[in-house]
Amino acid sequence: MEYKSPAEKGPNSQTGRVPAASLAENVQYMKDQLQSPEDLLIKSIVMAAGQKGAVACIDGLVDKQLKVQILQTLMQERLSIDSAGAKSNEAEQGAEEGDGSGDGMPVEAGKIPVQDARYSTDWDDILLSILTGDTALFVEGAKEVLLLGSKGWKSRAVEEPQTETIIRGPRDGFTEDIRTNTALLRRRVKDVNLRFESFRIGRRGRKDVIVAYLNGVVNPQLVEEVKRRITTIDIDDPEGSGYIEQWITDRYWSPYPQILNTERPDKVAGAIMQGKVALLIDGTPFQLIMPIMLSSFIQSPEDYYQNWILSSVLRILRVISAFVALFLPGLYIALLEYHHGLLPSKLAFSIAGTREGVPFPAVVETFLMETTLELLREAGIRLPKPIGQTIGVVGGLVIGEAAVTAGIVSPVMVVVVAVTAIASFAIPSYGFAVSIRLLRFGIMLAAAIFGLYGIVLALIMNCIHLANLKSFGVAYTGPLAPLRLGDWRDFIIRVPVMNMVKRPAILETMDEVRINTDDQGEKNK
Amino acid sequence: MKTASFGERPVTPLEMSMTIASMLIGVGVLTLPRTLASATKSFDGWMSIAGAGLIAMLLGALVSRTAVKAGNQPFLEYASSLISRPLACLLAFFQMLYFLGFSAYETRAIANISKQYLFDRTPVEYIALAFFLVIVYGVSGSRSGLLRLNVMFLPAVLSIVVVVVVFGYRWFEFGNLEPFFVTGIPGLLKGMKEVVFSLLGFEIILYYIVFMARPEKAPKAVVGGILVAVVIDLIIYQLAIGIFSNVGAMNIIYPTVELAKEIQFPGNFFERFESLFFVIWIMTIYNTAVMGFDLAGECMAFLFKRMTKRVRHLILAPAAMIICMTPNNLPQFDLLGTMISYLAVGAGVLIPCGLLLLSGRKKGTAAHADTK
């Protein structure tokens, strides 16, 4: 791999330290380094040829069956070992220092029944391998150590994603195990050009990160940029995808997410097929997709599984819901405080009638209710699931009703708050919905100061920010501005599948054509 | 962080047309039916609009020819190569004054109209200040971001015009348009002058052409943009005369906004649509003002090469605010508008066209010298 992570060597690195020829010394060193924790298993063995050896691994990270197999193979006659310790030729490549033949590993890697086995003479490497679930074999008199891949631990089964539920579409979701996740992706994209490039990030945490993309489709500059940004990450432990997202994002002070996170393999597969890049991160079911545009937030994978008319209408509905979630409370303030005249007179009278006993101006009322709502939401998330729903119902209905009866807020206010909340739930992306919740308060403030004029100024500022925003070099407001009319086929309206001939032009992919329109059936690349 | 450059594809001709259109659609359209109605009789103003549109398109094509000639170098650098640097500095100064004045004028107009239609108690100064702060926020971002902003806002503005037209025709009386062809030539010319003034602003192509992927398409793009503005002027004018009649339009300060007031939706959902109309219109006026301010900064950068963008804006913003607040009443405000328009004609249109002539002659002599 040409990209070396700066965090390749950990802080407790013993650069250059090599195992000694003595078995006892090696075992002791390993015990010292790890302070012989309870889960470190070291088993001394006597191999078939009579040599002494030791096998070390971490309990719980190794596949028990595989380990038994390894031990059996080592201890049974089947393994012929040259007593001189000379290795077979094919193993020579793994050991540059093996020229003093007495120091070499007498056990041939090819004869152990595990998928991957390699030689190592670097203590850092050996210890890290043990800590990630490999089994190390030490043999008396050998300076080399054989590392046997025996990873296998308890991981959550593939389940339906919790955060992005859809009605029609695959039900599997990513898990915390990166291997399962790559498998889920491979099962969807059976293209030979699907590339996984792995990185190990974090000085102490050592997280595996895989850059996944479709070679020959994705713009190579984009892949280079993603890899470059990943290699800049130098942190002790990037826990979860959130750390990595924040580190590599274009503008970290923007309220808008510039990288999409998802639990759905079909979403990632679709993005990769479009010419985007995905990051698979070990230890979290939330994988990252980049670059994205604002329009990505109103699109759901379901749109592609359903009838195109229905999907288009739903997308329009989501756009409306985003606007409602952003502007409705602000509009309420503006209309009541500044522009009564804008409302139809009957409605204005009825609102004024219901606000009769309310002691606060509309601004205070709105801030009060919106804050209460956010409070309820936060409480609902923190509480255990069954109680959380109760809080939602109790909070929403009872507090709202009681507040109206007590004359603190007007019934119209409760309606406004409820509609705003529902509209914000209709947005498919949680990250975007959170941004909108945040900005809503800004809009409310602007409305409180300048009414409709304030709202439009806030909208303009928002649009300037969006127009300047980029996600990995791709304009965030595309394909609206810069105008790419070809990309409007899959923007707010999704045209029938047969008409989505090209990949998004704004991504500048290498292979633009998705649908073969050539009658000859020859795909021209 | 460095970003990949592949997403930064320059502006297409269509986007440039949209930019020009959003520059031209500004405050002018809001008062146009009044100024035109005072200059012409009955519905004859349409001839003024058509004539002025043709003139503007011709001038636009000429100015953009100059911009094309400049090639990849900034317009002012090109000008200084033609007419020496001191003269180019003078030109830059006048253009800076013009763009700054333009921006300030639009802001004052926003403040005036907002005071009339949105709030009656808030002082004009605060309304203008808020607007100015947003302008400064806008220009502190990237310049291609501003161009993208145009593309985002123009559709909203065009659709609100469509709404006004569709729902406004209920009150349209054809009798108001009659009789035809009654205005004399002087009246028409006077009307044309007003329309040309409202169509000024296409000079921005001189500066924004560097963003175009294919600069040779600039003349077409500019003419297209002017055409959009002219069509909108025509539509609004005929609607205003058809609804208010000539005399009515003459006596309304902002006839276009009043047009929106006449609209009633089925079910009376919006009682006073003109507030909403004006609020949407603020977006296009903002585009006009922010581009003006941005280009004023650009001209200043030519004058003071070592000044940073932040310092430039810190100097320009209070200056614009002072210009904006100078007129005390409507006649003075109109006078400011006229002055800026003359400045625009001089610095923005005539001098670039003169440069075009000059460059043609220089090239001619150069070619002549080559043949010798």
Side-chain angles (χ1 to χ4, degrees), chain B residues 28 45 55 137 149 159-160 163 191 196 213 215 230 264 302 333 337 343 353:
Chain B
I55 292 176
Y137 175 69
L149 202 65
S159 35
I160 201 92
V163 169
V196 167
V230 170
Q264 264 184 356
F302 179 78
F333 174 66
L343 203 58
C353 290

Side-chain angles (χ1 to χ4, degrees), chain A residues 380 383-392:
Chain A
L383 284 168
K385 253 181 204 165
I387 313 175
Q389 285 186 348
T390 323
I391 281 286

Side-chain angles (χ1 to χ4, degrees), chain A residues 63-80:
Chain A
D63 189 332
K64 292 251 162 62
Q65 248 184 326
L66 212 54
K67 197 190 162 196
V68 171
Q69 268 184 33
I70 292 170
L71 287 176
Q72 272 180 352
T73 318
L74 286 171
M75 292 156 97
Q76 276 168 8
E77 307 290 336
R78 270 180 280 153
L79 198 67
S80 68

Side-chain angles (χ1 to χ4, degrees), chain A residues 391-408:
Chain A
I391 281 286
V393 175
V394 170
L397 294 182
V398 178
I399 296 188
E401 183 62 37
V404 169
T405 323
I408 302 171

Side-chain angles (χ1 to χ4, degrees), chain A residues 264-276:
Chain A
R264 303 194 61 88
D266 54 334
K267 211 167 173 176
V268 172
I272 287 178
M273 280 294 190
Q274 275 195 331
K276 294 180 180 174

Side-chain angles (χ1 to χ4, degrees), chain A residues 249-303:
Chain A
T249 197
D250 286 64
R251 297 258 188 104
Y252 51 83
W253 45 262
S254 168
Y256 293 97
Q258 295 138 61
I259 294 172
L260 198 66
N261 62 66
T262 181
E263 273 190 280
R264 303 194 61 88
D266 54 334
K267 211 167 173 176
V268 172
I272 287 178
M273 280 294 190
Q274 275 195 331
K276 294 180 180 174
V277 175
L279 282 190
L280 306 178
I281 294 141
D282 196 20
T284 174
F286 291 97
Q287 318 302 338
L288 305 177
I289 297 174
M290 64 215 67
I292 53 159
M293 282 150 275
L294 198 56
S295 56
S296 311
F297 297 122
I298 56 150
Q299 296 169 355
S300 157
E302 211 172 11
D303 298 347

